[in-house]
Amino acid sequence: QVQLVESGGGLVQAGGSLRLSCAASGRTFSSNTMGWFRQAPGKEREFVAVIIETGGDTFYAGSVKGRFTISRDNAKNTVYLQMNSLKPEDTAVYYCAAAKNPFQLSRPSAYDYWGQGTQVTVSS
């Protein structure tokens, strides 16, 4: 069992930066692939970024590539999402998620555990 708690959301002006954190409980953190998703009002939950359990390979949605960076610190059981050059369209609730198996990782259904989400609002 893995429990996830996000933090770091808030209100920021367009062009600004935020760093989200996701603290995980459980000794199996390092064996889980970790992802970030977001959901804006009235829209489906969409993939943002993922970092593979070992090796640290990362993948990003096209809309955030070059602006967002996902990283993990296995010693701290924490995954991060550094968000730079934020745009109003990045406004959403951001969720971190953990997957036991690294397959079809852009789909929410691939993930076994979810955090409660943290709100990010980007003003124009």
Side-chain angles (χ1 to χ4, degrees):
Q1 189 77 8
V2 176
Q3 293 184 327
L4 305 172
V5 179
E6 302 97 334
S7 61
L11 174 64
V12 64
Q13 288 188 332
S17 298
L18 283 174
R19 188 176 82 155
L20 305 183
S21 299
C22 174
S25 65
R27 291 185 289 180
T28 60
F29 173 78
S30 62
S31 65
N32 285 280
T33 289
M34 301 299 297
W36 285 96
F37 285 74
R38 66 187 182 186
Q39 188 166 19
K43 295 188 177 181
E44 293 187 352
R45 192 167 297 190
E46 67 171 355
F47 169 76
V48 174
V50 63
I51 185 164
I52 305 303
E53 51 177 303
T54 56
D57 288 343
T58 59
F59 301 93
Y60 298 90
S63 59
V64 307
K65 196 170 185 178
R67 300 188 297 123
F68 290 11
T69 303
I70 188 172
S71 61
R72 66 190 297 163
D73 185 337
N74 288 338
K76 296 183 178 180
N77 281 10
T78 301
V79 63
Y80 304 97
L81 184 69
Q82 178 66 45
M83 306 186 295
N84 298 328
S85 302
L86 283 161
K87 305 175 181 179
E89 51 263 44
D90 294 318
T91 295
V93 177
Y94 283 70
Y95 299 89
C96 75
K100 296 178 183 178
N101 300 300
F103 301 117
Q104 298 184 324
L105 293 169
S106 64
R107 298 184 178 186
S109 58
Y111 294 79
D112 303 283
Y113 307 103
W114 290 86
Q116 82 290 348
T118 186
Q119 177 70 47
V120 171
T121 303
V122 184
S123 63
S124 57

